[in-house]
Amino acid sequence: MNISYNWLKDLIAIDLPAEDLAERLTRVGLAVEGIHPHGDDFVFDIDMTSNRPDCLSHLGVAREIGVITGNPVFPKIQTRPEETDVPLPAILAPDNVKIEDPDICHRFTARIIRNVKIGPSPEFLVRRLEAIGERSINNVADITNYVMHELGQPMHSFDLDKLAEKRIVVRRARAGETIKTLDEVDRKLDETMLAICDAEKPVAVGGIMGGFDSSITETTVNVLLEVAFFKRESVRSTSRRLGLATEASYRFERGVDIENLKAASDRAAELIQELAGGELGEFIDVYPTKHKRNKVESDDLSSSVKRLTGLEVSKYDCTRILEALGISTSDASQSGVFTSPSWRHDIAIEEDLVEEVARHTGYEKIADELPPAYGAGEYQASEVRKKLMRQTLVDMGFDEAISYSFIDTKFDDQYELIPGLVDENYEEKLVTLKDSVIEGAVRMRPTLLPGLLDSVRLNLNHQRRDIRLFEIGKAFAAGQGEDNLPAERELFSMVLTGGDLLKKRLSATRALDFYDAKGAVEAALDAVGFESVEFRNAEAKHLRAGQTAAIYIDGGCIGTIGRLNEEISANYKFKQPVFLAEVDLDAVFSRNTTPILYRPLPKYPSIIRDVSLLVDRATTFEDIRAAVIDHGTEICRNVGFVDIFEGKGVEEGKRSLTIRLEYRSDERTLVDEEVSGVHESILESLSKTLGIEQRP
């Protein structure tokens, strides 16, 4: 943002050299990144933050200087532009200006100026515009640019005689409509875009750029001056869709002063009369819904400043600073209500008032000290557990990912979500952003998986095929309580694909599979005290049928695990299997952990028996393990999975499952006959309960 030092001196008395003024502006939050000489002028290059659109003008910066120096601002705007002695017949009837979509265009003003003479701008105007990087076009176009940079209000001038029926209609564009903009590019509009139209066609794209066919030229005699207020989200969306960014859209996207439209129109009309001649005609102001200024309550702002910043600022100084910034505090000492000016959209809560006081008191005066806290230097219990999970996974070769909390609506129906976060009425419970930070990403994520899969795609596109990632973060659902705030849950998610790449190896030794993901989940949960984790056959929308399991602790489902299904894999163009897991950490940490019990090392050796069983395809290893445990044999200490086989020699509908049974006693060395008897009893029990046969 370029600001002219000489231009500022036209708006406020300044007794500071340019270098000192730049330093003072930087201290109050308007960071001056450079000062560039331009003739007898200096130009400040200010890095303006997105929450301060009021300072995207010389008037806005002058207001800040007024607080710094204590001098009043005196913009050169007459109360009313000079009018002709004899009223002229009206050209534009009030009903010739119509807003059809007041949700997007909140206010629209139109002023007629007749018998203007278009020509070059005078030297002072050209010099001012060139100093801030603008080129001169003609006197009327230059005046609209000049006023925009002076007051922060974009505006546009039309050749009135080129408007069909001399009519202005502010509406959404219709499908298939086109417009040639001032840059002489034909642009296709759609129903989401706001167009300013005459009686037949669009003549400008609302808040962005005017049309070429209705522009001011050397033959223009009668001018229609438009000064309007457009909804920020609409201008931002249209600008991105058209790939067209302008000085006007830059300001409208951040917010302009809706109460400043009449003053800006007056200022432009005054300059047009002065520099291009002309006679003032009618002024039409269509303002469907009046702007309501934000009111902020603070019973004791001075105490709040002390509590939040440590600064000692008296009530008098708080009031002085805020009133100089236009924040009304006339009855603040009694009622504790502060009213923000129409040009400050960012003043909404007490902390905003504290920030205004603090920056003009001096950030450098804030002491370097930590705020008082209880339990300082200690981790919360959940943080300790998450740290253990992270360390365990990193030791297993995983990398931690951090994804955006915003996702696209295209993910709405793709994923099976964690129970308890979103169960029913899925669409109604998704959190939708009114003002998205990233184009298209208008949902708060109800799952971490889209972000992880985007990371996998990025890695694969960079030829990295062996990937293990995990993320711990918040997921969101629409609130249902009285406060209607979004619900949050802490989730743990992982994704792995490719091969098992060992250290000092250039290629993977084997492909990663479901059991690698399962082992990683078990290790992560074991690290936080959960040894008994169950995996049960299940179905999930985003996972492949037959390679999906639900994860259980203490009989409660806490997540899902499996292979990404073919549809989503195809959308991401994955050419190798991708395995996913997602766990609800809130549900995990709400359960009691298994006590860590220490036992002496076994004194006596174990006897291992591997046995191959013919089982139905629907029977899982977990079913077999649970059945062995339920059998209640004391000397059977462990049941492990060895192998699985399907194919030749195994009848259709069945599979061969090899398990390993470990037998041991703490009191003596077992003999083979004793183990064989127990072993046979277990196999008989499996045959009766699950219909399992021992494979010959």
Side-chain angles (χ1 to χ4, degrees):
M1 176 70 188
N2 291 329
I3 295 293
S4 161
Y5 179 64
N6 287 344
W7 200 336
L8 288 173
K9 291 196 291 186
D10 283 349
L11 301 174
I12 187 170
I14 301 175
D15 53 6
L16 294 171
E19 292 79 5
D20 293 347
L21 180 60
E23 182 181 350
R24 297 290 295 274
L25 287 172
T26 300
R27 286 183 186 177
V28 299
L30 306 186
V32 179
E33 296 191 332
I35 306 176
H36 310 292
H38 190 274
D40 63 346
D41 196 2
F42 294 95
V43 178
F44 300 141
D45 180 7
I46 301 180
D47 182 15
M48 207 67 67
T49 56
S50 60
N51 67 320
R52 293 301 306 274
D54 61 295
C55 288
L56 294 176
S57 67
H58 287 75
L59 175 61
V61 176
R63 290 193 190 104
E64 294 291 325
I65 296 173
V67 184
I68 293 171
T69 63
N71 297 330
V73 179
F74 41 86
K76 296 181 178 180
I77 304 173
Q78 294 183 4
T79 304
R80 180 176 179 146
E82 183 180 346
E83 297 184 352
T84 55
D85 296 332
V86 179
L88 299 171
I91 296 177
L92 201 67
D95 59 358
N96 274 25
V97 178
K98 184 178 181 181
I99 299 176
E100 290 188 355
D101 200 329
D103 290 336
I104 297 180
C105 179
H106 296 178
R107 187 180 183 185
F108 192 97
T109 70
R111 185 191 295 275
I112 302 300
I113 307 172
R114 287 178 275 198
N115 300 321
V116 299
K117 185 176 181 180
I118 306 301
S121 295
E123 184 180 352
F124 91 90
L125 186 57
V126 174
R127 193 164 55 246
R128 279 283 169 87
L129 292 176
E130 287 180 346
I132 59 173
E134 293 281 356
R135 67 181 181 86
S136 176
I137 302 172
N138 58 55
N139 49 8
V140 171
D142 289 353
I143 287 168
T144 58
N145 281 335
Y146 182 89
V147 175
M148 176 180 68
H149 284 282
E150 182 176 70
L151 304 183
Q153 174 61 53
M155 56 184 63
H156 183 67
S157 53
F158 297 94
D159 187 325
L160 179 64
D161 299 318
K162 295 178 182 178
L163 300 178
E165 300 182 17
K166 294 183 173 53
R167 186 178 297 274
I168 289 289
V169 180
V170 186
R171 60 169 172 81
R172 291 180 187 268
R174 301 188 178 102
E177 282 190 317
T178 61
I179 182 175
K180 178 186 284 189
T181 45
L182 285 172
D183 54 1
E184 299 189 48
V185 175
D186 291 320
R187 302 184 186 275
K188 185 177 180 180
L189 308 179
D190 61 41
E191 297 92 330
T192 67
M193 302 176 183
L194 186 70
I196 300 170
C197 310
D198 60 16
E200 299 173 354
K201 61 187 182 303
V203 293
V205 183
I208 300 177
M209 186 177 283
F212 180 80
D213 294 334
S214 60
S215 61
I216 301 294
T217 65
E218 294 178 354
T219 61
T220 298
V221 176
N222 300 315
V223 171
L224 185 147
L225 180 65
E226 165 239 309
V227 188
F229 182 96
F230 304 108
K231 189 176 181 180
R232 287 181 286 178
E233 295 81 359
S234 172
V235 175
R236 184 181 301 117
S237 173
T238 301
S239 175
R240 291 178 180 176
R241 283 175 176 270
L242 294 177
L244 180 61
T246 62
E247 289 284 351
S249 68
Y250 183 79
R251 287 163 173 78
F252 277 121
E253 285 179 24
R254 288 154 180 78
V256 300
D257 181 4
I258 195 170
E259 298 295 342
N260 192 41
L261 270 60
K262 176 66 164 55
S265 181
D266 288 350
R267 175 63 167 155
E270 173 191 17
L271 289 172
I272 290 173
Q273 280 191 301
E274 179 183 340
L275 304 180
E279 302 159 328
L280 289 184
E282 51 273 32
F283 175 78
I284 297 175
D285 186 354
V286 183
Y287 196 175
T289 305
K290 299 297 182 183
H291 170 73
K292 293 183 179 179
R293 300 188 180 187
N294 291 335
K295 294 185 180 296
V296 182
E297 294 185 6
S298 177
D299 293 332
D300 190 346
L301 185 58
S302 178
S303 297
S304 296
V305 172
K306 171 65 176 176
R307 173 173 54 85
L308 294 173
T309 68
L311 293 172
E312 295 278 2
V313 185
S314 67
K315 291 184 178 180
Y316 170 80
D317 284 332
C318 288
T319 300
R320 175 186 60 79
I321 291 170
L322 294 178
E323 288 187 342
L325 291 169
I327 301 171
S328 173
T329 60
S330 56
D331 298 321
S333 59
Q334 289 78 28
S335 64
V337 176
F338 296 76
T339 304
S340 67
S342 56
W343 60 84
R344 290 300 299 271
H345 306 284
D346 58 316
I347 304 296
I349 57 177
E350 184 185 39
E351 286 77 2
D352 295 329
L353 300 175
V354 171
E355 181 182 4
E356 296 304 301
V357 173
R359 67 188 183 87
H360 277 286
T361 300
Y363 286 133
E364 71 280 0
K365 296 179 182 178
I366 298 177
D368 295 332
E369 63 182 31
L370 292 173
Y374 299 98
E378 298 179 4
Y379 284 109
Q380 295 181 355
S382 62
E383 289 300 323
V384 174
R385 293 179 174 184
K386 286 185 283 187
K387 186 177 180 181
L388 289 171
M389 294 180 72
R390 288 187 174 98
Q391 189 59 56
T392 299
L393 290 166
V394 169
D395 291 343
M396 296 178 70
F398 281 79
D399 293 305
E400 185 172 6
I402 300 176
S403 306
Y404 287 117
S405 297
F406 322 110
I407 61 174
D408 197 283
T409 54
K410 68 183 179 182
F411 300 115
D412 282 356
D413 297 320
Q414 290 191 359
Y415 297 95
E416 193 81 25
L417 303 179
I418 294 296
L421 182 64
V422 178
D423 294 328
E424 300 173 354
N425 301 324
Y426 182 88
E427 284 289 341
E428 297 177 9
K429 292 191 177 181
L430 293 176
V431 180
T432 302
L433 301 173
K434 294 182 178 179
D435 187 7
S436 61
V437 177
I438 305 170
E439 183 177 4
V442 298
R443 297 274 197 241
M444 294 294 289
R445 63 183 182 188
T447 169
L448 310 186
L449 297 178
L452 285 175
L453 291 178
D454 280 339
S455 297
V456 170
R457 176 168 55 188
L458 180 64
N459 277 273
L460 290 174
N461 289 342
H462 284 78
Q463 308 305 315
R464 183 183 177 188
R465 314 203 70 78
D466 306 315
I467 304 163
R468 302 189 199 194
L469 298 173
F470 75 92
E471 181 171 7
I472 296 175
K474 295 284 189 180
F476 306 87
Q480 301 296 316
E482 292 182 1
D483 56 10
N484 203 34
L485 294 175
E488 298 182 12
R489 293 185 83 82
E490 191 98 33
L491 302 185
F492 155 64
S493 301
M494 68 164 61
V495 57
L496 61 165
T497 184
D500 184 17
L501 185 62
L502 302 179
K503 288 184 178 180
K504 299 182 181 180
R505 294 287 185 93
L506 294 179
S507 59
T509 57
R510 63 176 182 82
L512 296 172
D513 57 22
F514 175 91
Y515 297 101
D516 291 289
K518 176 176 176 288
V521 170
E522 289 175 320
L525 293 176
D526 182 66
V528 293
F530 293 95
E531 295 180 357
S532 301
V533 182
E534 297 180 47
F535 296 84
R536 302 178 187 176
N537 189 35
E539 294 182 359
K541 287 188 295 187
H542 62 289
L543 300 177
R544 190 174 184 178
Q547 297 189 40
T548 302
I551 308 171
Y552 284 80
I553 291 180
D554 298 335
C557 181
I558 61 164
T560 57
I561 183 173
R563 178 175 170 179
L564 188 66
N565 68 27
E566 293 83 349
E567 180 183 356
I568 300 178
S569 292
N571 290 340
Y572 281 97
K573 299 182 180 180
F574 294 156
K575 297 180 181 180
Q576 60 191 50
V578 176
F579 298 91
L580 306 171
E582 188 156 60
V583 170
D584 181 357
L585 287 185
D586 286 351
V588 172
F589 294 156
S590 66
R591 290 171 164 79
N592 294 324
T593 58
T594 304
I596 300 175
L597 301 177
Y598 294 91
R599 301 182 180 89
L601 294 172
K603 295 181 180 179
Y604 304 99
S606 300
I607 294 179
I608 303 297
R609 295 285 177 89
D610 288 354
V611 58
S612 294
L613 307 171
L614 284 175
V615 302
D616 292 334
R617 290 182 58 84
T619 302
T620 65
F621 168 72
E622 184 61 34
D623 296 331
I624 298 173
R625 191 184 72 86
V628 174
I629 294 172
D630 290 342
H631 185 64
T633 302
E634 181 181 354
I635 65 172
C636 184
R637 296 303 181 90
N638 188 38
V639 185
F641 172 82
V642 178
D643 195 12
I644 192 169
F645 174 75
E646 298 177 17
K648 187 176 181 181
V650 179
E651 62 182 278
E652 188 175 352
K654 290 186 178 292
R655 62 179 67 175
S656 174
L657 186 67
T658 303
I659 64 173
R660 175 168 294 171
L661 302 173
E662 180 184 358
Y663 300 96
R664 190 184 70 246
S665 171
D666 293 331
E667 300 174 353
R668 64 189 185 282
T669 300
L670 297 175
V671 296
D672 193 61
E673 291 79 5
E674 182 180 7
V675 171
S676 295
V678 174
H679 188 69
E680 291 301 325
S681 69
I682 290 175
L683 296 180
E684 289 177 9
S685 175
L686 291 177
S687 178
K688 291 178 182 179
T689 57
L690 298 176
I692 291 174
E693 303 174 19
Q694 184 175 355
R695 187 181 178 190

